Amino acid sequence: MNVNHNHDTHNLSWIHIGGHAKYFIQVYSNEDILDALDFCASKKIKYRFIGSGTNIYFGKYFDGAIIKMCLDDQDTSKIDIFKKYNNDYSDNSDEYYIVAPAYINLMSFIEYIANHGFDLSNLYGIPGSIGGAVINNAGAYGSEISDYVSEIICFNQESQFTLTQQDMNYQYRSSILKNNFQDIAVTIFLCVKKGIKKIQDIKASMQQIYDIRKSKFPTHNNLGSVFESYFLNDGKIATGAILDCIESKKIHNNQIKICDTHANVITNPSRVNSIEALDSILDTMQKEVFNRYGIKLKQEIRKI
């Protein structure tokens, strides 16, 4: 592992906003993660383990350690696929376990399993790691990653342990790990059924979903949807529609602005590193919605 002191954090976030961290620890194996946790314990400091940085930005100073796995996140050779029941291919079940390190890029993961006949195309185009998707219960077009989660192997400063899908207490864009910064997901087990869909049809579906996402979301310099969808009487209301009603696309601050194609996405095309500007826009959006509709928007992106 590599330990860096007083590290600039802004490039660890997809929106390129942040200050400094007391330590930035680059890890390259599960053993390195355990060493990093021991380092934090010896220094008596807090830590945050981050993935691709697609839904986080940083405050002025983090008085602890930011830990990041720095292996190639598109190395699909680390993915294993085997039949659910004792690897018995004579069994008639169509359920398989798909196992991947948590740091693997979600899109690369979906592309890889598509070549083996597994269809997670509804989730294609969501940026970030598979671990981040599992922790945040990423979803799109009627599917959520929690639909497929079987088990998650985790580390903390005291032990290695396993969480089941039930243990994760999944809710909309949330899980037991989302705000639990002590436990680190290292290996993901999904349980996926192999359907009758042909590989070329799965790939065509992936491309269609990706094209739709590209038409709405910019591919860089943003953190995706900044607020969660709003639920009213068990019905989901798209937050983007609510924000359109307050004309949120007119809100901007120091070149940080609302995306032209989606009212619930903030972009930073010039990569202006202004924590205050981003905080101000988020605060303005929340206040405008509350003042007009009495709705308290829940932030989906996180500040570290």
Side-chain angles (χ1 to χ4, degrees):
M1 69 176 186
N2 293 327
V3 180
N4 304 276
H5 188 259
N6 195 33
H7 188 79
D8 186 340
T9 60
H10 81 279
N11 278 328
L12 299 177
S13 165
W14 264 37
I15 203 166
H16 302 282
I17 290 177
H20 289 81
K22 188 171 186 177
Y23 297 102
F24 174 55
I25 305 178
Q26 297 168 294
V27 294
Y28 301 90
S29 66
N30 287 343
E31 290 75 15
D32 277 356
I33 295 175
L34 295 175
D35 289 343
L37 294 179
D38 287 342
F39 174 86
C40 294
S42 69
K43 296 288 186 180
K44 297 182 179 179
I45 56 173
K46 60 187 176 181
Y47 58 87
R48 297 287 186 273
F49 190 89
I50 65 170
S52 304
T54 56
N55 73 332
I56 59 171
Y57 70 106
F58 297 86
K60 288 185 178 179
Y61 188 70
F62 182 75
D63 190 21
I66 303 297
I67 307 171
K68 179 179 173 65
M69 180 66 82
C70 293
L71 292 176
D72 179 4
D73 66 354
Q74 298 186 46
D75 182 5
T76 54
S77 69
K78 305 290 186 180
I79 300 171
D80 289 325
I81 301 174
F82 55 92
K83 221 152 189 206
K84 183 174 181 180
Y85 296 102
N86 301 318
N87 210 19
D88 180 5
Y89 283 84
S90 64
D91 188 275
N92 291 324
S93 170
D94 59 355
E95 289 188 314
Y96 290 75
Y97 284 125
I98 305 178
V99 188
Y103 65 84
I104 293 293
N105 177 271
L106 180 62
M107 288 178 63
S108 296
F109 174 85
I110 294 172
E111 289 170 2
Y112 178 82
I113 67 172
N115 286 323
H116 291 76
F118 297 96
D119 184 8
L120 267 64
S121 56
N122 278 8
L123 303 178
Y124 191 66
I126 297 175
S129 66
I130 187 170
V134 165
I135 290 168
N136 294 288
N137 194 15
Y141 306 107
S143 295
E144 292 181 321
I145 194 73
S146 58
D147 298 336
Y148 307 100
V149 170
S150 176
E151 295 180 339
I152 303 165
I153 296 175
C154 301
F155 292 163
N156 61 27
Q157 287 181 317
E158 299 175 354
S159 65
Q160 173 182 314
F161 58 96
T162 300
L163 295 175
T164 66
Q165 182 191 53
Q166 290 73 27
D167 294 332
M168 288 292 284
N169 190 26
Y170 275 117
Q171 299 176 39
Y172 176 77
R173 301 297 175 265
S174 181
S175 75
I176 197 171
L177 289 178
K178 183 166 184 176
N179 295 308
N180 173 7
F181 303 115
Q182 302 305 305
D183 299 335
I184 298 171
V186 294
T187 306
I188 309 300
F189 286 72
L190 300 187
C191 184
V192 184
K193 289 185 177 181
K194 180 178 282 191
I196 60 173
K197 207 171 182 181
K198 294 180 180 179
I199 291 175
Q200 58 264 37
D201 293 334
I202 295 173
K203 291 186 174 182
S205 178
M206 289 164 53
Q207 187 62 52
Q208 182 181 22
I209 293 292
Y210 185 65
D211 289 342
I212 293 171
R213 288 190 65 85
K214 275 203 309 182
S215 70
K216 296 179 180 179
F217 293 92
T219 54
H220 297 287
N221 305 318
N222 74 94
L223 300 176
S225 297
V226 294
F227 298 109
E228 295 181 1
S229 290
Y230 180 70
F231 289 84
L232 179 64
N233 298 327
D234 296 325
K236 185 172 76 171
I237 302 174
T239 300
I242 298 173
L243 292 168
D244 269 330
C245 292
I246 66 160
E247 298 183 307
S248 72
K249 292 174 185 176
K250 294 182 179 180
I251 300 171
H252 60 89
N253 193 328
N254 196 22
Q255 297 183 325
I256 300 171
K257 61 181 183 178
I258 310 302
C259 177
D260 293 334
T261 56
H262 202 300
N264 194 25
V265 176
I266 296 174
T267 65
N268 185 16
S270 300
R271 298 191 178 186
V272 175
N273 186 17
S274 176
I275 302 163
E276 295 81 5
L278 179 54
D279 284 340
S280 175
I281 289 178
L282 290 167
D283 185 60
T284 299
M285 294 168 78
Q286 288 175 306
K287 284 181 177 177
E288 289 289 331
V289 169
F290 183 76
N291 289 339
R292 185 173 298 190
Y293 301 111
I295 295 172
K296 292 183 178 180
L297 295 179
K298 186 176 180 181
Q299 200 164 296
E300 188 169 330
I301 64 173
R302 293 188 296 168
K303 182 180 182 181
I304 294 179

